[in-house]
Amino acid sequence: MGKYDFVTAELNALREQGLYNTIRTIGSSVGAWTVVDGHRVLNMCSNNYLGFADDTRLKEAALNAVREYGVGPAAVRSIAGTMTLHNELERRLATFKHTEDAVMFQSGFCANLAAIPALAGKDGVIFTDELNHASIIDGCRLTKATRVIFPHRDVDALAKALDEHAQAPRKLVITDGVFSMDGDLAPLPGIVEAAEAHQALVLVDDAHGEGVLGSHGRGIVDHFGLHGRVDVEVGTLSKAFGVVGGYVAGKREIVEYLRQQGRPFLFSSATTPADVAACIAAVDVLERSDEEQRRLWDNAAWFKARMEELGFDTGASETPITPVMLGEATTAWEFSKRLFQEDVFAQAIAFPTVPRGKARLRVMISAVHSQDDLAFALEKFAKVGRALGVI
Ligand SMILES: *Cc1c(COP(=O)(O)O)cnc(C)c1O
């Protein structure tokens, strides 16, 4: 028996179950067309909703920040001081989101790891949607709080659970804003009402709503007109914003509390000046114009409608996330492989990320896709779909 035998056994088990993840290699910037494993392919699986990952305005801002501030913050903000850039981004995000304040973290994942334990405490109760993101699940695991997992988007079940825990000293309701695998929305107005009736805090993770939903991409709270009624908005700067980082926006007191108690803020270095400057430039662009956001929605509407005409099932998405439902994992993998041979990069998603029998390609539409790009994709989907007997 070697000491690594369990690792080898688990890797083999993943391979046998078809769950082994072979990561593709990107050899260019991420745009409509991207070099993947040496081939130039139409990119339909990045979260680059608005094309900001390779936007000239963001790149210029990043380059200037490197010249002025260097490449790294060289410390944890609470210990060795925080750069003016990080403070500026936080102010800009708060203004953009119409919240009192915002605090930045290294990623959206870190933002949840910071916010959830700090807000739930030891004796709180967390009410969490069963399909919430892994970073929420892990944030909950870092607390000693009681966890109540409610059925997906089920406000009645949530209200009942809140009733049952009426005496809990702290109550925190957590939901994704946009659920990333299906593209459906949280029933946020109902969730907020239920929470208000029970003195519970609401945390919404708006990772796939930012830049996508609401006026100028202000997110799901803006989309539903709930400003001031959602206590905590967790955001990522690595999807529509095109950069990397995360944040929490909300009431001044809560944000201040996370600067004091959010462990990734206290014990891990800040993001780099280049990242932060690029994010500030992204806020500039979003505040000035909703041109990219409009193009994103137009592209998504056009592509979904044509796919449905072809006979594909594009699920229950309410956002530009376009699942192409294929059923068996083997069909999804084969579909993705053949598309790649046809120069279209769309990733298959299967169990355990989605339930068994619900395998799909998750097509991510972007504002950078041109009409020609979408028509090209459509032709290839039709070709592979017919070859595999899906349509
Ligand atoms: C992507 C995602 C995250 C993680 O964001 P990163 O900035 O990539 O760490 C968190 N929550 C949800 C709902 C996400 O979709």
Side-chain angles (χ1 to χ4, degrees):
M1 280 284 284
K3 66 180 174 179
Y4 296 142
D5 284 357
F6 76 98
V7 178
T8 311
E10 291 198 11
L11 283 173
N12 286 337
L14 287 174
R15 286 192 191 95
E16 276 157 26
Q17 294 161 43
L19 298 177
Y20 188 86
N21 188 2
T22 307
I23 300 172
R24 293 195 183 271
T25 309
I26 309 283
S28 67
S29 64
V30 174
W33 291 80
T34 303
V35 177
V36 180
D37 290 342
H39 302 280
R40 195 167 160 275
V41 292
L42 181 64
N43 192 338
M44 303 202 94
C45 60
S46 80
N47 296 318
N48 188 25
Y49 285 111
L50 304 174
F52 285 180
D54 193 32
D55 184 286
T56 309
R57 297 162 291 190
L58 274 68
K59 290 197 286 188
E60 279 302 314
L63 289 168
N64 288 336
V66 169
R67 289 191 194 98
E68 191 169 345
Y69 291 92
V71 292
V76 168
R77 295 169 67 188
S78 58
I79 295 174
T82 182
M83 285 177 168
T84 51
L85 271 180
H86 295 75
N87 290 341
E88 183 187 340
L89 175 60
E90 290 173 344
R91 269 196 314 275
R92 295 292 307 277
L93 284 170
T95 306
F96 176 65
K97 299 283 283 187
H98 298 327
T99 58
E100 291 176 5
D101 202 356
V103 54
M104 195 191 176
F105 296 94
Q106 298 83 355
S107 66
F109 204 108
C110 282
N112 277 322
L113 298 192
I116 297 170
L119 294 172
K122 285 194 186 67
D123 49 6
V125 181
I126 299 171
F127 303 84
T128 177
D129 186 291
E130 64 181 339
L131 294 189
N132 276 345
H133 188 259
S135 56
I136 293 176
I137 296 172
D138 287 9
C140 294
R141 285 178 179 157
L142 289 176
T143 77
K144 294 198 171 68
T146 304
R147 231 169 301 155
V148 176
I149 299 169
F150 61 89
H152 184 47
R153 302 176 77 238
D154 189 338
V155 174
D156 291 340
L158 168 63
K160 196 157 159 265
L162 282 162
D163 269 339
E164 284 163 12
H165 292 273
Q167 301 311 318
R170 301 190 200 182
K171 294 181 271 286
L172 176 62
V173 179
I174 308 180
T175 186
D176 276 18
V178 178
F179 290 87
S180 56
M181 293 303 143
D182 291 294
D184 51 342
L185 298 188
L188 204 55
I191 288 177
V192 165
E193 251 174 57
E196 282 171 349
H198 292 84
Q199 287 286 306
L201 295 178
V202 175
L203 181 157
V204 64
D205 180 339
D206 206 15
H208 284 278
E210 240 118 33
V212 175
L213 294 172
S215 158
H216 289 236
R218 289 189 167 82
I220 191 165
V221 171
D222 189 85
H223 172 81
F224 282 120
L226 292 168
H227 290 293
R229 293 176 68 192
V230 172
D231 308 281
V232 185
E233 289 180 62
V234 169
T236 177
L237 302 165
S238 48
K239 289 185 175 127
F241 273 73
V243 193
V244 73
Y247 66 90
V248 169
K251 300 280 183 214
R252 178 161 299 117
E253 223 168 0
I254 288 184
V255 171
E256 198 44 42
Y257 177 59
L258 296 181
R259 284 201 185 93
Q260 301 300 319
Q261 296 288 315
R263 291 172 69 82
F265 184 86
L266 300 174
F267 297 106
S268 181
S269 291
T271 47
T272 72
D275 295 325
V276 179
C279 289
I280 294 171
V283 178
D284 281 338
V285 174
L286 289 172
E287 280 187 335
R288 265 201 310 271
S289 137
D290 58 0
E291 189 190 321
E292 282 87 357
Q293 192 196 5
R294 284 175 193 278
R295 207 172 324 126
L296 168 68
W297 282 91
D298 287 348
N299 280 352
W302 188 87
F303 187 75
K304 264 187 216 170
R306 299 291 96 71
M307 286 289 282
E308 278 162 22
E309 279 167 19
L310 283 173
F312 285 105
D313 171 6
T314 60
S317 176
E318 301 165 70
T319 63
I321 295 172
T322 307
V324 179
M325 307 304 287
L326 295 169
E328 292 310 313
T330 45
T331 313
W333 293 120
E334 183 62 23
F335 207 116
S336 175
K337 196 174 108 195
R338 291 201 190 190
L339 276 180
F340 195 78
Q341 289 161 354
E342 300 282 345
D343 301 331
V344 176
F345 183 27
Q347 196 62 6
I349 302 205
F351 182 82
T353 311
V354 294
R356 286 184 204 281
K358 297 242 172 180
R360 71 207 52 192
L361 299 187
R362 190 178 60 148
V363 177
M364 300 300 279
I365 301 294
S366 169
V368 285
H369 291 136
S370 68
Q371 191 64 48
D372 283 351
D373 293 337
L374 295 176
F376 177 83
L378 207 65
E379 180 196 323
K380 302 303 185 185
F381 267 93
K383 181 174 172 186
V384 176
R386 286 189 192 111
L388 294 180
V390 173
I391 54 169

